[in-house]
Amino acid sequence: MVHPRATAADPTADAEVAVRAASAGAAVARARYATGSRRTADRGLDFTTEADVETERAIRDVLAELRPGDAIVGEELGSSGDGRRRWLVDPICGTLNFAAGVPLFAVNVALDVDDVTAAAAVADPAAGDVFWTDGAAAWHRPETTAPDTGVDRRLQPTSSSRLVTVNLESSYPDDSGIRLLSDEVFRARFSPRFLSTTLALAWVATGQQAGYVTAGDLRGSVHWTAGIALCRAAGAVVTNLAGGELHTGHHGLIAAADAGTHAFLLDRLHAGG
């Protein structure tokens, strides 16, 4: 299915702003990729680079121009503004990959209105793709084409890749994430991955991955909000680690391309627990 590009007068204008902001950030990240961007803050294995900050500034410039009254929460530059409309910005999700010259990183932009994600975009700078949602459906836009021409293609989750990313940078309360990687029943059906970027969560919506699993409290997160919105709008199954409503109880996340894959991941995640 294809979708005419959104315009400023279109009801999906917030989604178009998200796309433009993510694309602006992606252009900076792509230009700075493999150029030896200097680290500006170290937090053990985690760190920030000049490119992270420059990318967030490019995103903020777009938001300041097109949505000047909205609040912004950014991973690198903190919070600005106030109100019921709040943009969540993760300029380079996968900084360790980015700094090492591994082309697996994302630019995440999401709009929360009264704690509901109204629009979101995830850019894959290395591939030149942007994935976006207006909250009702999710779409793919090749980043290399003009913003107001052509059509976008609807995202369709599928488990055919048999790839599942397990995020090991979160602490699982019962070590279930670690056990899942060595579970023979799980490995007979799916091939686990650890990619260190929430781009892998977006790939559940695009059909490039069958599932994504992480622990942690993800509410209002600049890292996960955009990818979660994509998965939900694309029709993927998204729950917390206990199989219940997201952001409650166990917290954490299971995102799966379909109900069968979700049921299997939920079962194997808690097998032997």
Side-chain angles (χ1 to χ4, degrees):
M1 180 182 295
V2 295
H3 179 280
R5 296 280 169 87
T7 67
D10 195 281
T12 61
D14 280 333
E16 184 67 18
V17 172
V19 170
R20 292 178 185 232
S23 296
V28 174
R30 188 164 45 246
R32 293 302 307 271
Y33 178 61
T35 62
S37 182
R38 183 175 64 87
R39 298 187 187 190
T40 60
D42 281 285
R43 300 178 292 273
L45 289 176
D46 194 13
F47 55 84
T48 296
T49 72
E50 292 174 319
D52 290 85
V53 176
E54 291 172 15
T55 299
E56 183 168 325
R57 284 179 176 148
I59 295 169
R60 284 174 174 266
D61 285 346
V62 173
L63 297 178
E65 176 187 355
L66 299 178
R67 293 294 185 272
D70 291 356
I72 302 174
V73 178
E75 182 182 24
E76 307 302 339
L77 299 176
S79 300
S80 60
D82 195 11
R84 54 189 292 267
R85 292 172 54 90
R86 183 179 62 152
W87 292 90
L88 305 176
V89 176
D90 184 359
I92 298 180
C93 188
T95 297
L96 274 71
N97 291 341
F98 175 87
V102 177
L104 293 173
F105 52 94
V107 176
N108 295 323
V109 177
L111 171 64
D112 269 13
V113 181
D114 296 330
D115 296 323
V116 175
T117 307
V122 176
D124 180 348
D129 291 321
V130 180
F131 311 111
W132 65 273
T133 178
D134 56 5
W139 308 86
H140 165 243
R141 177 176 301 181
E143 194 183 351
T144 53
T145 56
D148 294 318
T149 61
V151 294
D152 296 333
R153 296 194 177 275
R154 191 162 183 171
L155 299 184
Q156 296 182 317
T158 172
S159 60
S160 61
S161 71
R162 303 178 70 179
L163 301 176
V164 173
T165 289
V166 181
N167 179 28
L168 298 182
E169 293 181 323
S170 290
S171 178
Y172 293 80
D174 55 1
D175 292 329
S176 55
I178 301 296
R179 292 199 313 271
L180 184 63
L181 295 179
S182 59
D183 182 89
E184 292 184 3
V185 177
F186 168 69
R187 293 175 64 90
R189 180 168 173 179
F190 293 106
S191 180
R193 293 291 185 271
F194 172 59
L195 301 180
S196 191
T197 172
T198 56
L199 180 59
L201 174 57
W203 283 343
V204 176
T206 69
Q208 292 166 272
Q209 296 231 340
Y212 182 93
V213 178
T214 185
D217 186 344
L218 314 182
R219 291 173 295 184
S221 169
V222 299
H223 305 292
W224 279 279
T225 298
I228 289 170
L230 280 177
C231 287
R232 282 174 157 169
V237 181
V238 182
T239 70
N240 65 18
L241 290 179
E245 184 179 350
L246 196 61
H247 305 321
T248 63
H250 258 63
H251 293 300
L253 167 75
I254 301 174
D258 51 62
T261 299
H262 179 272
F264 179 82
L265 291 176
L266 181 63
D267 175 72
R268 299 323 303 168
L269 189 66
H270 297 289

